[in-house]
Amino acid sequence: MLGLLACAVTGGLQWPIALPLISALVAGVIVLPLRESTLLSMVSVVFTSLLDFWTWVIGPLPLIWRVPDVPVAPLFAVTTLLSVAVVHLCLSASQAAARRPAARDTLDRPAAGSTAARMEPLLDLLPHAMAIAGADGALTYANAPYLALIDKSAAIALGRTTQELWPRRAASLYAPHLEQAAQGKAVSFRLPFTTPDNVKREFDVFLSPHADTAAGAPATLMMLVDVTDAVRAKHGLIERESMYKAVIEHAPIGILSQVDGLLIYANPAALLMLSADWPGRAIGRPFSDFIVDKDREKVRRRIEELAQAPGFAEFRPYRLVALDGQKRDVELAAISVTRDGRQRVELFCVDVTEHRLAEDKIRQLNETLELRVAERTAELEAFTSSVSHDLRAPARQIMSAADIMLRKSEQPGSDIKPMLSALLTTAERMNRTIDALLELSRLGRAGIVPSLWPLGTMVQEIQSELAANVGDRSVSWRIDKLPRVFADPHLIRLVMVNLLDNAVKFTRYTPNALIEIWADEYEQTIAINVRDNGAGFDMRQSAKLFGMFSRLHSNRDFDGTGVGLAHCRRIIERHGGRIVAHGEPGKGATLRFTLPHEPHPR
């Protein structure tokens, strides 16, 4: 504006006026920044161009006053100093005007980097590891927990990067997250970390962009929160829950959960107990629905009481009705707990059906124990009486014969040889009785060793042995084809010897003796029959036939110990079979015993 006014009053751009303008332009280019000095130069060029255009088109401006002659050097120096002073004043004013809003923003928003020094006392008090890294990743600050974590002093740690201070794996996991924070993004992640003393820890790491307003350099604020104990506790909880679930799923007792009066869970043992092929058949129903009618309401009320007043309760045994209608004896226990804000009743069911059946069986055995003891006592008394009778009679005969021989020996010419013969016969009879008792005792202790063998071959051998002892008697044998049997051959041989020997003995007084042997095969058993046409017996006395030392015939007619058929009955019963006899006096007898196709369990 001053240049235009000077040109207007002097009639053109006189050198005394142009020189100060040039000096101001030079001062502005030197002092002002590039953008402002460029703008000033452009304005000067446009101004001078306009003046030249005016002079060329219109002519020189009218002269109002003439500029006196002034020395060039002093004018240039004075005008240059004035120009520099004016430019400085204008520049200072503009910068002050620009700083006012920035200062106001600074008061309203705290600076980041410039306040780092003031934040250090606060960061030092934090229990977590804190550090500040510059743009190059080197640490500019680290608090005591951070230095303790890496086991380094501040003099060693500051100025070094995490790649140099941290374990290799932790540093490699940390690097990509640090790049994100350097781009102005807040980052958080889980970091496994191995301390210098080889302790494995886990940290939650938080990275926040951090700018220093004084230096203008970006930085990153780092915080490491140790979550090792929390992670381990969580893993432990997961493991315990997994173990608890495995125990519940594989428990041999039924475990059920009921909430708001309805079942929400049943383990496999409970589903099996309820005969539910899938959980949906039991879930969603009250547990009391599976109790027998007479106890259902009682159980329902007891569970409701538990749901309202948490605690433990042990129920008495109840009857459970499964979905298939089968009833089981169970013992119940329940506990009420609060979980997820809801009251749950946990039910425990133990199936005691087999135990109850065993108890019932034991009770029945106990009830019949006295009867069985009485029966065994009667058998023992009968056995004792028979043994006493059979041994006492030979003993009396021996004593009587000895007394007679003693008296006859005092008489001259007496012959005691017949008496000695009778005495020997009696002693042999007593010896056979004793042998029979020993055989009976041995049979009681002997085990059964079954095998598959041909019965016909054995019968033929026994028949040959007995035929050699019948003398001049006429005995006919009729033996059918006999099967292979599965039994102890030694014990069955004793049975066949007794039965065939009895058949030969009791046909002693029959003119045309006939002994028949045959077998009848059934689905489960094989029946062996031995029939003779000898003396027979009265069926009214058949109960005595298999008793110890029981004889249905006189010892004068048919000698014997009376234990043979008792042996046979014991052997056949130990094989799982039965032996019976049918007879008629004077018309013979038939003895029939059975053997199972399979070996009978002892």
Side-chain angles (χ1 to χ4, degrees), residues 481-544:
K481 184 178 180 180
L482 299 175
R484 295 165 66 88
V485 295
F486 195 92
D488 189 312
H490 174 68
L491 297 180
I492 298 301
R493 182 180 180 85
L494 293 178
V495 173
M496 296 306 298
V497 167
N498 272 282
L499 296 183
L500 297 181
D501 184 65
N502 281 347
V504 171
K505 179 172 62 176
F506 287 109
T507 57
R508 180 180 303 169
Y509 305 110
T510 303
N512 297 312
L514 175 63
I515 300 174
E516 299 177 89
I517 306 168
W518 76 95
D520 297 321
E521 292 196 44
Y522 302 97
E523 183 178 354
Q524 300 293 333
T525 60
I526 298 174
I528 310 299
N529 304 271
V530 177
R531 182 166 62 193
D532 65 75
N533 59 346
F537 63 91
D538 189 350
M539 286 295 294
R540 289 175 296 182
Q541 297 180 335
S542 61
K544 299 179 180 179

Side-chain angles (χ1 to χ4, degrees), residues 218-416:
T220 301
L221 178 63
M222 178 197 323
M223 179 172 68
L224 292 86
V225 180
D226 192 342
V227 294
T228 307
D229 295 336
V231 170
R232 289 175 180 173
K234 183 178 179 180
H235 289 169
L237 179 61
I238 294 174
E239 290 180 0
R240 285 194 296 273
E241 288 183 350
S242 177
M243 181 178 65
Y244 169 77
K245 183 177 180 180
V247 169
I248 294 299
E249 290 292 325
H250 296 90
I253 65 173
I255 301 177
L256 308 99
S257 298
Q258 181 164 306
V259 176
D260 297 333
L262 299 176
L263 291 174
I264 63 170
Y265 172 77
N267 73 338
L271 296 176
L272 181 63
M273 197 178 299
L274 299 177
S275 299
D277 51 0
W278 64 291
R281 296 193 64 190
I283 303 303
R285 302 175 59 178
F287 175 74
S288 56
D289 283 359
F290 299 99
I291 303 296
V292 293
D293 294 341
K294 67 184 185 66
D295 296 325
R296 184 171 300 164
E297 185 61 24
K298 186 185 301 182
V299 172
R300 186 189 64 79
R301 287 199 306 268
R302 190 69 185 92
I303 294 176
E304 286 183 354
E305 292 173 359
L306 270 179
Q308 296 172 1
F312 174 81
E314 185 175 0
F315 300 177
R316 67 178 180 84
Y318 284 98
R319 296 276 284 176
L320 197 70
V321 182
L323 292 170
D324 59 358
Q326 187 178 5
K327 294 183 179 180
R328 294 184 174 89
D329 292 312
V330 297
E331 290 184 355
L332 292 179
I335 185 172
S336 180
V337 296
T338 303
R339 187 173 181 182
D340 299 331
R342 305 175 70 185
Q343 203 68 29
R344 298 174 58 142
V345 177
E346 305 287 346
L347 295 155
F348 306 92
C349 304
V350 180
D351 192 341
V352 294
T353 305
E354 297 297 331
H355 180 67
R356 294 296 180 196
L357 292 176
E359 286 183 346
D360 292 342
K361 186 175 181 179
I362 293 174
R363 184 169 55 254
Q364 292 173 1
L365 291 175
N366 290 334
E367 290 174 354
T368 59
L369 179 61
E370 293 184 2
L371 178 60
R372 289 185 287 111
V373 169
E375 292 176 353
R376 297 295 183 268
T377 304
E379 291 180 359
L380 181 60
E381 290 176 351
F383 174 77
T384 305
S385 176
S386 299
V387 171
S388 301
H389 178 271
D390 287 341
L391 293 180
R392 187 182 293 114
R396 270 199 311 267
Q397 292 177 3
I398 293 173
M399 292 172 62
S400 176
D403 182 62
I404 293 173
M405 285 188 295
L406 182 61
R407 283 187 279 112
K408 283 188 175 184
S409 64
E410 298 175 353
Q411 301 175 1
S414 60
D415 186 10
I416 61 174

Side-chain angles (χ1 to χ4, degrees), residues 73-83:
L75 178 62
F76 182 77
V78 173
T79 55
T80 300
L81 292 176
L82 291 176
S83 298

Side-chain angles (χ1 to χ4, degrees), residues 131-139 146 160-164 166 170-189 191 205-210 218-223:
I132 298 176
D136 57 354
L139 294 183
Y146 186 92
R160 301 176 68 182
T161 64
T162 54
Q163 297 289 342
E164 299 172 319
W166 283 16
S172 62
L173 294 175
Y174 172 78
H177 300 288
L178 180 61
E179 292 179 1
Q180 295 181 15
Q183 297 173 2
K185 299 178 182 179
V187 183
S188 62
F189 58 96
L191 177 71
V205 182
F206 301 91
L207 301 179
S208 176
H210 186 78
T220 301
L221 178 63
M222 178 197 323
M223 179 172 68

